[in-house]
Amino acid sequence: MGFQGVVSRAIDARGLLDCAALTPLHHPSSELIVNNNAHDDNCVLMPWVGFGTYRLGKRQSRTATLEALKSGYRQIDTAFIYGGQTTELEVGKTLQDALQMGVIQSREDVFITTKQWREYHGYDASMKCLELSLERLGVDYVDMWMMHWPGPCFESRDKRQTVSSENAATEDDPWLHAKEGMGVNEIAAVRADTWRAMEDAYRRGKTRSIAVSNFTIKHLETLKETATLWPPAVNQIESHPYYPQNDLIDYCQKEGIVVQAYAALGGQDGTKAKWKALGGKLFESAPVLEASERLHKTPAQILLRWSLQRNCAIVPKTCDPDRMKENSDIFDFELSEEEMKAIANLSEGVGDGEGRLCWRTEKLRMLDIIP
């Protein structure tokens, strides 16, 4: 059972998604195929609109997720690290609540995405990470397992502590305190081992598809050299009008990688000073407000629709039941070509990388410095 506005895309049995299935105006019942193996005919269907759980409190992880399921959402996006490693457990409890209440009829009714955390990079550690996620979620498999971050884990963020010279040369080095074995010259090989674990997890039925998050073109090209399952089903990235990532999206679509945009509304990490420097919040920008008035839709709906018309799936988050419905009610209108361009032009004059709003405290947030 779904709701007006839930759209899925098929993911093939390899866990990859078929970009060719998209049309400019998606029908509410259409689906996305996300597949990882071009030689496997088994397709996985992923909703276009998922429910995000990033930065939900412990109680909200349960109450808001249940409300989202009641509202018709059928994809829940979570991660090993969310909520200080508590969110997965609360999502798992929510799934049991939803089953007992008859909100869903079976586990198969919900597309569950979770993410491997960088502390568990490497083959054995990644396998352990997945087993912990499955245990917390109370399921035998997930529908999509993502590599959350292409960079290293840090032993400490306390610059008073000493580190090995192989990882950092000075106190200003962003690789300071990188975990042993995850130095600047090692991280690409470590990612390859993590992906190998993900490939085996897929083959063992622990996940129906495998994917990545926050990967640049360089990271994808490097991973492709050693991968035996290609391409990743999805690359989940920050993308919004101030940080559109056009080249990366074009690359992914050519490779058959579905792009899933997080922070499509701008995200929660931007400071007042940052928003001011960019020209104001996206909700308040002239082209968004003009489209909102013409189409009788909210600014949030305009921004989410903008992402969809760029063939990007989305995972908006809210605790408000009315806004949950609002965020999904984006399939009965279409932005004109002029409106799409006007919103896209909000990135004009924004310096390279200056529109990035997420991962504000991460030393390696500008991903191109990660090999």
Side-chain angles (χ1 to χ4, degrees):
M1 296 177 64
F3 63 117
Q4 185 74 6
V6 170
V7 179
S8 298
R9 184 169 179 185
I11 303 171
D12 70 23
R14 300 169 303 154
L16 306 179
L17 192 149
D18 178 11
C19 293
L22 298 178
T23 58
L25 186 61
H26 309 300
H27 188 276
S29 62
S30 65
E31 295 177 314
L32 290 173
I33 298 176
V34 283
N35 289 335
N36 291 117
N37 191 331
H39 304 292
D40 196 324
D41 295 329
N42 184 28
C43 287
V44 179
L45 301 179
M46 184 185 81
W48 278 97
V49 180
F51 180 72
T53 61
Y54 172 60
R55 291 185 70 174
L56 287 179
K58 185 175 180 180
R59 183 180 64 83
Q60 293 172 328
S61 296
R62 193 164 183 179
T63 58
T65 302
L66 181 59
E67 189 61 43
L69 291 172
K70 288 180 178 178
S71 298
Y73 285 82
R74 289 299 178 264
Q75 181 188 12
I76 304 300
D77 178 85
T78 189
F80 181 90
I81 197 62
Y82 284 178
Q85 300 189 33
T86 65
T87 301
E88 284 180 320
L89 181 60
E90 298 306 312
V91 168
K93 292 176 182 177
T94 300
L95 292 173
Q96 294 305 311
D97 292 342
L99 282 166
Q100 292 174 8
M101 296 169 64
V103 175
I104 58 175
Q105 302 306 308
S106 68
R107 152 71 183 90
E108 288 72 24
D109 288 346
V110 182
F111 190 103
I112 302 173
T113 297
T114 196
K115 307 177 190 76
Q116 172 266 4
W117 187 231
R118 59 185 173 185
E119 181 181 350
Y120 291 83
H121 270 327
Y123 186 92
D124 292 336
S126 291
M127 286 298 196
K128 179 181 178 181
C129 185
L130 178 57
E131 290 303 324
L132 288 170
S133 289
L134 294 175
E135 181 180 348
R136 293 171 181 174
L137 290 164
V139 296
D140 296 326
Y141 69 93
V142 290
D143 297 278
M144 183 172 290
W145 189 32
M146 287 184 176
M147 195 186 315
H148 200 158
W149 187 254
C153 169
F154 294 96
E155 296 283 8
S156 170
R157 295 182 183 275
D158 185 348
K159 292 189 176 183
R160 293 172 297 181
Q161 296 186 12
T162 59
V163 293
S164 62
S165 59
E166 67 173 329
N167 286 337
T170 70
E171 291 292 312
D172 295 326
D173 193 316
W175 290 82
L176 186 70
H177 303 305
K179 187 176 180 180
E180 185 176 357
M182 295 189 191
V184 64
N185 297 318
E186 302 160 313
I187 192 63
V190 172
R191 279 199 309 269
D193 282 344
T194 297
W195 186 253
R196 185 165 56 88
M198 298 179 79
E199 292 172 330
D200 284 351
Y202 165 77
R203 294 183 177 109
R204 297 172 189 176
K206 298 293 185 179
T207 180
R208 298 175 69 210
S209 60
I210 52 178
V212 297
S213 182
N214 299 297
F215 271 48
T216 66
I217 295 174
K218 177 173 63 176
H219 301 145
L220 291 164
E221 284 288 283
T222 301
L223 186 62
K224 187 177 181 180
E225 294 174 1
T226 57
T228 60
L229 289 181
W230 190 264
V234 166
N235 187 13
Q236 189 184 93
I237 59 172
E238 177 183 351
S239 180
H240 47 75
Y242 282 145
Y243 194 60
Q245 302 223 63
N246 297 322
D247 291 343
L248 177 56
I249 289 176
D250 288 345
Y251 171 87
C252 287
Q253 292 178 348
K254 290 175 182 176
E255 285 288 312
I257 303 169
V258 171
V259 174
Q260 189 172 53
Y262 68 79
L265 301 176
Q268 299 174 270
D269 295 346
T271 63
K272 289 183 179 179
K274 183 68 172 181
W275 282 116
K276 184 178 181 180
L278 290 172
K281 291 189 175 182
L282 290 167
F283 290 105
E284 301 165 355
S285 65
V288 172
L289 292 175
E290 289 168 6
S292 173
E293 182 177 2
R294 182 183 77 84
L295 293 162
H296 306 289
K297 293 290 183 178
T298 67
Q301 289 173 314
I302 298 301
L303 288 165
L304 294 174
R305 181 69 208 185
W306 184 80
S307 288
L308 281 188
Q309 285 185 219
R310 299 177 79 220
N311 284 343
C312 295
I314 52 176
V315 283
K317 184 208 76 176
T318 180
C319 294
D320 187 318
D322 291 333
R323 288 184 178 174
M324 289 178 190
K325 295 173 183 176
E326 175 186 312
N327 289 344
S328 67
D329 186 20
I330 53 176
F331 293 91
D332 60 350
F333 70 98
E334 185 173 11
L335 296 173
S336 68
E337 183 177 346
E338 291 74 20
E339 287 166 332
M340 289 291 294
K341 289 181 179 178
I343 295 172
N345 287 341
L346 288 171
S347 63
E348 288 189 352
V350 177
D352 187 28
E354 289 300 311
R356 182 145 166 75
L357 294 166
C358 299
W359 297 83
R360 183 162 51 91
T361 62
E362 169 58 47
K363 292 190 293 183
L364 298 174
R365 65 190 299 268
M366 302 317 295
L367 294 161
D368 281 338
I369 66 176
I370 303 175

